[in-house]
Structures are given as C-alpha cells and as structure tokens.
Amino acid sequence: MKELINNDYQLTDEIGRGRFGIVYRCYSTITGDSFACKSIDKRLLSDPTDRECLQKEPKILHILGGNPNIVQIHRLYEDENHLHMIIDLCESPDLFDRIAARGGVFSEPEAALIFSPLISSIGYCHRLGIAHRDIKPDNILFDCRGNLKLADFGSAEWFGMNERGVMTGVVGTPYYVAPEVLSGREYNEKVDVWSAGVILYVMLAGVPPFYGETPADTFEAVLRGNLRFPPKIFRSVSPEAKDLLKKMLCKDVYRRFSAEQVLRHPWVVSGGETRSMADLT
C-alpha cells in the first residue's frame, strides 16, 4: 500500500497525530502540489462506532466535494490494516490556536470574516442532508492562503437518508455540544447552529457561554441553556451581534435559527459592521 501511495504522492514529515493515526505532509509526484495524508491504523479501532466513523468520513467528504470552505478529499487508499486519505493541506494555525493566541477577543468585523464562511459551509452541508455534529474551533482550519476549511467529519451524519430528518446519539465536545444532544432526545441539524453560536460567542467574549469546573458541570450548564451577556465583557459588543447569538443559542429548537436564517441576519450580511436595532425589525 505504501508503495502505491508513493507512486502518486510522496509522504514527507509528520504534521499531526491523533488517537488512531498520523497526518503527514505530502506532495503529488505528478503535479508537485502539496497535500496532507491522514493515515489511520484500523487495528486500533476496537469500538464498532469508531470503525463506522472511519468508513463514513470519506463518503461524506466525497458528497461535500467542491465547497471552498470544506476540506476536500482527493484520493483514498485502503488495505486490510490502514486507510489513507489525501486531503487539503491546512498548515496555518486553526481557530483554536488563533483564539488562544489573542485571548479569544476579536473585533466584530474580524469575527465576521471567520464566522461567515463557517456558517456558509454549515448551510451547504445541511442542504445536502449532512450534519457535522462536532463543530468546534479545533475543526476549523485554514490553508496557506487564509481560506477557512471545515474539517473532521468523523462524527457527521447523513440525516437526509432519514425520512424524518432526525438523529440520535451523544456526540460532540463539551462547551460546544447542543443541549438536545445531551438530553438523549432525537435532534436535527440545528445542533450545528448551536455549536457555531458558541464559537461566535467565544470569539467576541473570550469565554464560552456555558461552562463549569468539570465536564459534568459544563454539561449541566449547557442543558440549562441560560444565555447571559455579562456587561463587563459585552460592553463593546453590538446589539446586532447579541441578537444573532440569542437566535442561535436558543434552547427551543423550533425557534432557533437555521443556518440559512443565520446567513440572512443583518449582522452577517453587514460583515459585522454595527447598525441600529431598528434595522432588525
């Protein structure tokens, strides 16, 4: 298998490592273009759920192919023990590192430059019947040109195959997971909108909206869903931004905005440039 890959792509240095595999920098032996190779050791996947995710991710990436703000899969190689995905190379700091580097506080136009392509990519997924289900800063990458790339679809689900468009299963990450996921109920694709709302809140405030001392405390805070805007932290955040956050971080799923509605919100349309609340009515 390695010889087959090296005929098409030359692997060089390691650039990342996870529970089940390693990410290498590589380049095409034909064009010289640079890519990343995500190599997964299937022998480490003892949990059937992990194996299912492994098989699902490349299929979902193929469905989502062509969107400039979603990591693209270019080739897939698989044998009995390994799976290798050739994907876009994203070496710039991810959103988690960018938030950490500056204390999490972005101006509204700066936040909008990141948020707009993120929610656009989420809307694209939803139109194709796919929910990401693990939207978090670590999974928001940037290529060498600064283009945002939504990545890691290992927890994604194709809800479009379900007649009712609902999903089950507790997946996601503390701070970012939606309350209906934690409650054990059926849920829909709006869980991604909630997670994106948490990210926007963190970029503007420097702290998450729901948190605790332990993961269990954080989950309890998420389940309560008591959204607050501490005056000291939000004194310079516009009413428009807070209005959008209220509509995304709404515990009532029926009232929570869809990704398409978020894209039409005045704060997103204006690129984070504040306007009067009268324009929202």
Side-chain angles (χ1 to χ4, degrees):
M1 174 60 67
K2 191 169 184 180
E3 290 75 15
L4 178 60
I5 296 174
N6 285 338
N7 285 336
D8 301 323
Y9 298 91
Q10 183 65 50
L11 274 60
T12 58
D13 50 317
E14 177 183 326
I15 57 176
R17 183 177 288 262
R19 279 194 305 157
F20 306 120
I22 302 173
V23 180
Y24 298 95
R25 182 186 289 105
C26 67
Y27 63 89
S28 169
T29 57
I30 299 173
T31 67
D33 293 335
S34 295
F35 299 93
C37 177
K38 185 175 181 179
S39 297
I40 299 169
D41 189 338
K42 296 193 289 186
R43 292 168 295 187
L44 300 176
L45 302 172
S46 57
D47 188 326
T49 302
D50 290 332
R51 284 188 169 272
E52 181 184 352
C53 291
L54 174 66
Q55 297 300 323
K56 189 186 301 179
E57 183 175 17
K59 294 177 183 178
I60 285 178
L61 287 176
H62 277 300
I63 294 170
L64 297 173
N67 187 286
N69 296 122
I70 294 175
V71 164
Q72 303 293 297
I73 182 169
H74 300 276
R75 289 289 298 274
L76 181 69
Y77 302 90
E78 185 173 12
D79 60 21
E80 184 178 350
N81 295 323
H82 292 87
L83 182 142
H84 309 276
M85 290 189 291
I86 307 297
I87 57 177
D88 290 339
L89 178 64
C90 297
E91 289 190 285
S92 296
D94 62 29
L95 184 56
F96 180 88
D97 290 334
R98 293 181 182 214
I99 290 172
R102 59 189 301 166
V105 180
F106 292 69
S107 71
E108 292 188 38
E110 287 173 333
L113 280 173
I114 293 171
F115 182 78
S116 183
L118 170 61
I119 199 66
S120 178
S121 66
I122 292 171
Y124 179 80
C125 293
H126 292 178
R127 287 194 298 275
L128 292 178
I130 292 168
H132 187 285
R133 300 202 300 175
D134 195 19
I135 303 288
K136 59 182 178 181
D138 319 52
N139 291 335
I140 299 169
L141 311 182
F142 298 87
D143 65 16
C144 62
R145 297 182 180 86
N147 299 311
L148 181 145
K149 300 280 186 177
L150 181 59
D152 199 347
F153 283 78
S155 297
E157 186 63 76
W158 193 5
F159 66 86
M161 294 186 67
N162 185 318
E163 185 176 319
R164 294 172 52 228
V166 296
M167 295 163 279
T168 58
V170 179
V171 296
T173 301
Y175 299 122
Y176 302 98
V177 65
E180 61 269 27
V181 175
L182 295 178
S183 71
R185 304 193 307 267
E186 293 180 334
Y187 51 85
N188 63 24
E189 71 277 9
K190 287 186 181 180
V191 297
D192 290 342
V193 174
W194 176 281
S195 300
V198 174
I199 289 174
L200 179 58
Y201 188 107
V202 170
M203 286 196 291
L204 296 177
V207 294
F210 315 106
Y211 60 91
E213 294 297 322
T214 67
D217 292 339
T218 298
F219 289 150
E220 288 181 12
V222 171
L223 283 167
R224 287 194 298 271
N226 186 15
L227 180 64
R228 296 178 179 177
F229 300 111
K232 186 176 180 180
I233 296 176
F234 278 84
R235 63 181 180 274
S236 61
V237 175
S238 70
E240 295 92 332
K242 288 184 277 191
D243 179 78
L244 175 58
L245 287 168
K246 289 175 185 176
K247 290 177 167 63
M248 297 181 72
L249 297 174
C250 177
K251 191 175 177 182
D252 184 343
V253 179
Y254 295 100
R255 292 174 51 234
R256 186 185 308 161
F257 265 21
S258 67
E260 295 299 326
Q261 288 174 303
V262 172
L263 281 167
R264 296 195 296 269
H265 189 277
W267 187 87
V268 177
V269 172
S270 69
E273 298 292 341
T274 59
R275 299 185 295 178
S276 70
M277 281 299 293
D279 292 336
L280 296 177
T281 60

